[in-house]
Amino acid sequence: DERIIKGQRMLEFMAKSTFHWCPTMYPLVSFLLVRTSLKHGINASSCDAFGSYGILLVGPLGDPQRGREMAKAVDMILEKPGMKRMESRSSAQNQGFIIPWTSPIQGTLAPLLEGCQVGLKSGDTDSASINLNCRTAILFYAGRPLDSVEHELQAQCDLMVLLNQLPQKNFTLPYLLVVKILRGVDISDEKDFESLEEFFLETRMDFHRAVALIIQLESLVFLSDWDAANKRLGTEDLRQIVAGTVGSVRFTFLEALILLKQAQGEATYLNRRKWKKRAFKPIKILRGWAKKGNVNIVHYVHLVEAELAVLDGKGEKAEESYKSAISVATRNGFIQDRALSHELASEYFSVVKGDDYWKEYHLDKAIKSYMDWGASAKVEQLQRKVEMGKHESS
C-alpha cells in the first residue's frame, strides 16, 4: 500500500528531526514506526523503526542487551533486497548509538567511517554526516591523540560545509573547541562555549546545546576548575536531552565527579551531606550501566568510587579504587582517563595522606599520560604546579 509506505517515510523524517529538536516526541514517532512495521510488514523503513527502538532501549529504557538485539534485527533486514538506502543511516544508529553500550567504543570508529562513505556514494549526505558526528564524539571519548583528532574534526567541518550540512557541522564545533583548548592552541578567533550556547538557544537546537554544555564540563574538569564546573553543571539533567548517546554516559560520569569534589571542599557536615546526596543519583546510574554490560565505563565507576571513599574517609578503599581505575583505563586505551585518575590520586596522597612519594609518583604519571594524549595546556599547568611545589619546599 503506497499510502502506508509514504506514511512510514514521513515518520522516518520526523524521527530524524525530533531526535535533535524535540526529544520528547522521539519515542512516540519511534513506536509508531515499530507498530506500522509489525502490522503491515517489513520494508526499508523498518530499519529506522527497530534502530530507533534500539536507541530507546539502550538509553531511557535501560536495557542495552535488548537494544543490541534490535541492532541485530536491523542488520538482518538490511540483507534483504531493496534496503540499500538505509545502510548509512542504520550504520549511524547501530554503531554510533547502540553498540557502544555493550562493546568497546574503539571498535565502532571504522564502521562509522564506512557508513559515511556508503552515504556519500548513495547521495544520502544527511546520514553520512550523522555517521561523522557519531565518530566525532567517539574519537574524543576513546582517548585518541588530540592532534589527530583536531585534524580530522577540522576536515569534517570543511566537508559538511561542502555538503551543506550546517547543523551537523555545528555539532562538531564544541568538540573541536575543547581539543584546541586542551592542546593550548590559540582560540581568540573561534566562537567560545558561551557564544555556541547562545547560538543554539536562539536556533532552538536543544540537543546541540546539551552537547556543548557537556563538552564545556569536560574542559573544566580536565583543567581542574572544579568550582566553575559546578556552576556550569547547575541542576539541569542533560541526560534527558542526549539520552541514548555516549555523551549521556560521559555527562553522568562528569556530574558524579563534580558533585563529589564539591562535597569534599565543604567545611561543614551538612553541606558535605547535601552534595553527596546529589552525587548518589549519577553514581547509582553508572553502577547500573556497568552491571548491565557497558564495558566502556568500568574505570568511570572505579574513579567515582575512589572519590566517594575519599569523602567518607575510607583511605584503603580509595587507594584500591584509584589503582583499579588506572589499570582498567590503561588496559582499555582511555589515555585521558588514565591521566585524570593519576592526577586525582596525586591530589589524594598530597592533601589527605601527606605522602610525598606517591603524590609525586602519580603526578609524574599524570603528566606523561597527558603528554601521550597531546593535552599540552594541561601538561603546562601540571608542570607549573611541580615548579611551585619545588619553590615552596626550598
Side-chain angles (χ1 to χ4, degrees), residues 264-276:
Q264 291 172 14
E266 293 292 340
T268 67
Y269 169 77
L270 289 178
N271 284 339
R272 287 196 298 272
R273 181 183 177 186
K274 178 184 74 172
W275 292 108
K276 179 181 176 181

Side-chain angles (χ1 to χ4, degrees), residues 96-388:
F97 293 90
I98 300 174
I99 304 301
W101 287 82
T102 53
S103 298
I105 59 174
Q106 292 87 346
T108 65
L109 290 170
L112 285 168
L113 186 59
E114 183 180 347
C116 171
Q117 294 168 343
V118 169
L120 293 175
K121 288 179 182 179
S122 65
D124 186 0
T125 57
D126 187 35
S127 295
S129 298
I130 295 173
N131 274 275
L132 287 182
N133 280 169
C134 294
R135 184 177 162 87
T136 292
I138 292 173
L139 272 172
F140 181 74
Y141 294 130
R144 292 299 177 94
L146 291 179
D147 56 346
S148 64
V149 174
E150 181 184 350
H151 179 75
E152 179 164 340
L153 297 191
Q154 189 61 63
Q156 287 183 15
C157 287
D158 296 339
L159 175 61
M160 289 174 187
V161 171
L162 291 175
L163 297 176
N164 196 30
Q165 292 288 331
L166 297 184
Q168 311 303 343
K169 176 198 170 185
N170 290 331
F171 175 90
T172 305
L173 291 179
Y175 288 96
L176 186 57
L177 179 59
V178 74
V179 168
K180 289 181 177 181
I181 290 173
L182 291 170
R183 292 194 65 220
V185 176
D186 181 22
I187 58 169
S188 57
D189 295 330
E190 308 275 349
K191 282 186 176 181
D192 58 17
F193 283 112
E194 287 71 22
S195 299
L196 288 171
E197 182 182 3
E198 183 178 349
F199 172 74
F200 293 144
L201 281 171
E202 289 175 354
T203 53
R204 297 183 179 180
M205 301 173 75
D206 288 345
F207 184 88
H208 290 61
R209 180 185 65 85
V211 168
L213 286 173
I214 294 169
I215 296 303
Q216 187 177 10
L217 290 176
E218 198 87 43
S219 172
L220 294 171
V221 165
F222 276 115
L223 294 177
S224 303
D225 196 345
W226 296 103
D227 289 336
N230 186 52
K231 291 178 182 177
R232 183 75 281 193
L233 178 65
T235 58
E236 183 179 10
D237 189 354
L238 299 179
R239 271 182 300 273
Q240 302 299 321
I241 303 175
V242 295
T245 68
V246 291
S248 68
V249 179
R250 189 67 181 186
F251 169 74
T252 305
F253 168 61
L254 295 175
E255 180 187 21
L257 272 185
I258 293 167
L259 293 173
L260 287 172
K261 280 295 183 184
Q262 184 67 27
Q264 291 172 14
E266 293 292 340
T268 67
Y269 169 77
L270 289 178
N271 284 339
R272 287 196 298 272
R273 181 183 177 186
K274 178 184 74 172
W275 292 108
K276 179 181 176 181
K277 186 176 180 180
R278 272 192 64 186
F280 272 144
K281 178 180 178 181
I283 292 171
K284 183 179 179 180
I285 293 172
L286 286 172
R287 289 169 175 167
W289 284 338
K291 287 180 180 178
K292 290 179 180 179
N294 192 328
V295 297
N296 299 299
I297 68 167
V298 175
H299 63 289
Y300 291 3
V301 176
H302 286 308
L303 187 53
V304 167
E305 296 285 4
E307 291 299 313
L308 180 60
V310 171
L311 179 62
D312 291 338
K314 300 177 180 178
E316 186 175 344
K317 169 67 174 176
E319 292 172 26
E320 290 177 359
S321 296
Y322 281 129
K323 184 177 179 181
S324 297
I326 292 165
S327 175
V328 175
T330 302
R331 184 168 64 248
N332 292 343
F334 295 101
I335 301 173
Q336 79 282 26
D337 294 331
R338 179 184 73 198
L340 181 62
S341 299
H342 274 300
E343 182 184 1
L344 294 179
S346 175
E347 290 180 7
Y348 162 74
F349 281 105
S350 173
V351 177
V352 179
K353 299 285 286 187
D355 188 327
D356 288 339
Y357 173 81
W358 286 110
K359 164 198 154 185
E360 292 174 4
Y361 170 83
H362 283 292
L363 187 57
D364 182 61
K365 291 291 186 180
I367 291 172
K368 289 179 180 178
S369 296
Y370 281 123
M371 280 182 177
D372 291 342
W373 192 32
S376 301
K378 182 62 182 182
V379 171
E380 291 176 6
Q381 183 191 62
L382 292 180
Q383 286 176 337
R384 286 195 300 270
K385 183 177 180 180
V386 171
E387 291 301 319
M388 288 178 62

